[in-house]
Amino acid sequence: QMTGEANSLSRDPRRNAGFLLTGDSNLVHLDAQLFYQVDDPVAYMVATAHVQPALQRLFIASAIATIGRRDLDSTLVARPEMAARASEAASRERLRADLVAAVNHRLAALTTAGAGLGVHVSRVDLVPQIPGGAKSAFDNVLVVSQNAQTAIANAQTTAQQIASDAASKKNKITTGAAATAQE
């Protein structure tokens, strides 16, 4: 299991366990639990003391590579308007499958090199989240964005009303001028 003590960044990078950078330069805290099965009992017994730390290192390397290729929305539900999209939900589900495949690929490389652990990962449970301080800033950006969209909609409505009034006045002036010209 890969967990951090708290969801806050430390000046000491070694204490920032579980924090990853997404491909679109967002920071995500990832709490994960690996489930594995023994497929080579002899190799497992030889490597028993090393299985947990090795799996943790393999998972971290796989998570860095996998999360680094994805944007924030394909890693976790960050924006409500994106959460409803089926493609985004499928992408987040693919994240778990990709992590399993990446760890198993690294395990296979160890086995090929003669240092196999005798296990394969069958499932990865993830709890990704935005760090505490970043979450409030992110929420503030969402509120400001929604307020800006509301202001834009109001401005467009006002502009349409002004354009409609101007067109009406233009038509009255044109009609009045044409009537005066005929007289």
Side-chain angles (χ1 to χ4, degrees), residues 28-112:
V28 171
H29 180 264
L30 186 64
D31 186 6
Q33 189 168 11
L34 298 176
F35 295 88
Y36 63 92
Q37 295 175 334
V38 175
D39 54 7
D40 182 351
V42 173
Y44 179 76
M45 290 306 295
V46 170
T48 298
H50 305 287
V51 171
Q52 293 294 333
L55 281 175
Q56 184 173 12
R57 286 191 301 276
L58 293 174
F59 177 77
I60 290 169
S62 298
I64 289 169
T66 304
I67 300 291
R69 289 190 301 262
R70 297 174 181 275
D71 64 3
L72 182 65
D73 291 309
S74 65
T75 305
L76 61 100
V77 178
R79 293 183 288 171
E81 68 274 11
M82 299 289 283
R85 294 183 185 170
S87 62
E88 294 299 326
S91 179
R92 287 186 298 276
E93 185 58 38
R94 264 193 319 278
L95 170 62
R96 287 184 273 286
D98 290 349
L99 284 169
V100 168
V103 173
N104 283 330
H105 177 74
R106 291 173 190 270
L107 284 168
L110 281 176
T111 302
T112 301

Side-chain angles (χ1 to χ4, degrees), residues 10-17:
S10 169
R11 291 193 185 275
D12 181 1
R14 291 172 295 189
R15 295 181 183 257
N16 292 330

Side-chain angles (χ1 to χ4, degrees), residues 133-181:
K135 183 174 181 348
S136 63
F138 193 79
D139 289 343
N140 189 37
V141 168
L142 287 176
V143 169
V144 169
S145 296
Q146 290 170 348
N147 289 343
Q149 288 174 350
T150 301
I152 289 169
N154 289 340
Q156 288 174 335
T157 301
T158 302
Q160 288 174 347
Q161 289 173 344
I162 291 171
S164 177
D165 291 344
S168 177
K169 287 179 183 177
K170 176 191 147 230
N171 287 339
K172 284 182 184 179
I173 292 171
T174 303
T175 304
T180 304

Side-chain angles (χ1 to χ4, degrees), residues 101-127:
V103 173
N104 283 330
H105 177 74
R106 291 173 190 270
L107 284 168
L110 281 176
T111 302
T112 301
L117 302 176
V119 299
H120 74 277
V121 174
S122 57
R123 187 174 99 199
V124 174
D125 286 348
L126 296 175
V127 181

